[in-house]
Amino acid sequence: MSDENNSNRIQEGRVISSAMDKTVTVLIERRVKHPLYGKFMRRSTKIHAHDEENTCNQGDLVRVEQCRPLSKTKTWRLLEVIEKAR
């Protein structure tokens, strides 16, 4: 599979847990406009991402890419750490 045809989804989020081996839990937040009242609400999704070198810690801002299923709950792969936690 060539890189120019790679149309996998890429998301950014915060690492909320890195307790598992080679896996991090990432919280992805998005803003959704309420259909009737028009107010913007925050909605979030928690995903598990594959972190091969165990480089992430809690609080890091990361970019993840959707991939084939790696386990029962893990279908995302870590691309890069954008910002390390303080």
Side-chain angles (χ1 to χ4, degrees), residues 23-53:
T23 304
V24 290
T25 304
V26 180
L27 184 76
I28 297 174
E29 283 193 341
R30 64 189 191 282
R31 291 182 42 175
V32 178
K33 191 173 183 179
H34 191 280
L36 179 61
Y37 300 113
K39 181 178 179 175
F40 281 97
M41 306 175 294
R42 286 194 335 213
R43 294 285 177 240
S44 62
T45 305
K46 282 199 286 188
I47 62 167
H48 290 132
H50 185 65
D51 179 15
E52 183 66 38
E53 287 89 30

Side-chain angles (χ1 to χ4, degrees), residues 48-72:
H48 290 132
H50 185 65
D51 179 15
E52 183 66 38
E53 287 89 30
N54 287 321
T55 55
C56 293
N57 291 317
Q58 189 171 354
D60 291 351
L61 184 65
V62 296
R63 184 170 290 131
V64 292
E65 173 188 37
Q66 197 169 25
C67 63
R68 65 179 179 86
L70 301 171
S71 71
K72 181 180 175 181

